[in-house]
Amino acid sequence: MEIPLRIRILLWWKIIFRRKNNQSELVKIGEDGQGVATILFLLPAEKEYAQIAGYFVKEDFDNQLRQIHYVVHENGLRFYPDQLKPNIITFNDKDLNFLGELVSKSILDRIRSIEYDALVDLNQSLDQTLSLLSLELDIPVKIGFQSPISDKLYSLEIQKSTKGFLEQTYETIERLLGLV
């Protein structure tokens, strides 16, 4: 995947000069832990990926033990079940600056109003806005798909399977988070 020079410069700028807030406590998701209690999913807006991600996240909306929120561009909202919509935070192109960074204070405040245990980026391709958002948020567990810059964005990288089904990858994410 080729990343344009402008985006690479912006990402490196953010990585080098981003503010480091207080480190949050570790989240124990192993045998002795209960899994994560609050999750922020970054959803794809492209139809081909959104349909699979929509199927994956619809299983979690009736879980009363976890607080789950979603972030997606408003163009991708139509691909997700109506039951998710109360927990979906949408943004549009007017909420971005000229570099593609999310700058809407109301949206950022809504996202930051909850202290998340985990962030899961379900985008298969690089989404500049959501990648920059991932850099800005201080969340202990960040999971995303492998890309040229994923080691800077996520604490756990999921390698895309070339032979298997994408659903198996999502099941791996569920097991990592203690959702199953």
Side-chain angles (χ1 to χ4, degrees), residues 71 91-92 95-97 100-104 107-108 111 129 133:
V71 177
F91 64 92
N92 59 37
D95 299 321
L96 309 175
N97 65 12
E101 183 178 13
L102 188 61
V103 292
S104 171
I107 293 173
L108 290 172
I111 293 170
T129 302
L133 179 63

Side-chain angles (χ1 to χ4, degrees), residues 25-39:
E25 294 182 27
L26 288 176
V27 176
K28 201 169 191 181
I29 56 176
E31 288 180 21
D32 298 334
Q34 277 89 53
V36 293
T38 55
I39 305 170

Side-chain angles (χ1 to χ4, degrees), residues 119-133:
L119 176 141
V120 181
D121 188 351
L122 296 177
N123 287 283
Q124 296 284 314
S125 58
L126 180 72
D127 185 308
Q128 177 182 348
T129 302
L130 296 178
S131 295
L132 291 170
L133 179 63

Side-chain angles (χ1 to χ4, degrees), residues 40-111:
L40 179 65
F41 283 102
L42 305 180
L43 300 175
E46 299 95 3
K47 182 179 180 178
E48 62 183 293
Y49 301 125
Q51 290 174 332
I52 298 170
Y55 178 76
F56 169 70
V57 296
K58 80 174 185 177
E59 296 174 356
D60 297 320
F61 63 68
D62 57 347
N63 189 335
Q64 304 299 324
L65 301 174
R66 291 181 175 76
Q67 187 174 14
I68 301 174
H69 288 96
Y70 310 89
V71 177
V72 68
H73 191 282
E74 68 179 13
N75 293 341
L77 187 61
R78 67 181 183 265
F79 302 121
Y80 296 99
D82 289 336
Q83 296 93 329
L84 292 182
K85 292 188 179 170
N87 294 331
I88 292 181
I89 302 167
T90 61
F91 64 92
N92 59 37
D93 293 337
K94 294 177 184 177
D95 299 321
L96 309 175
N97 65 12
F98 66 97
L99 295 172
E101 183 178 13
L102 188 61
V103 292
S104 171
K105 185 156 175 50
S106 63
I107 293 173
L108 290 172
D109 287 344
R110 188 170 169 207
I111 293 170

Side-chain angles (χ1 to χ4, degrees), residues 52 124 145 158-172 175:
I52 298 170
Q124 296 284 314
F145 288 97
I158 303 292
Q159 188 172 12
K160 294 178 239 178
S161 174
T162 56
K163 296 179 182 177
F165 292 102
L166 191 56
E167 290 85 357
Q168 293 172 337
T169 306
Y170 289 153
E171 289 172 4
T172 302
R175 283 193 304 275

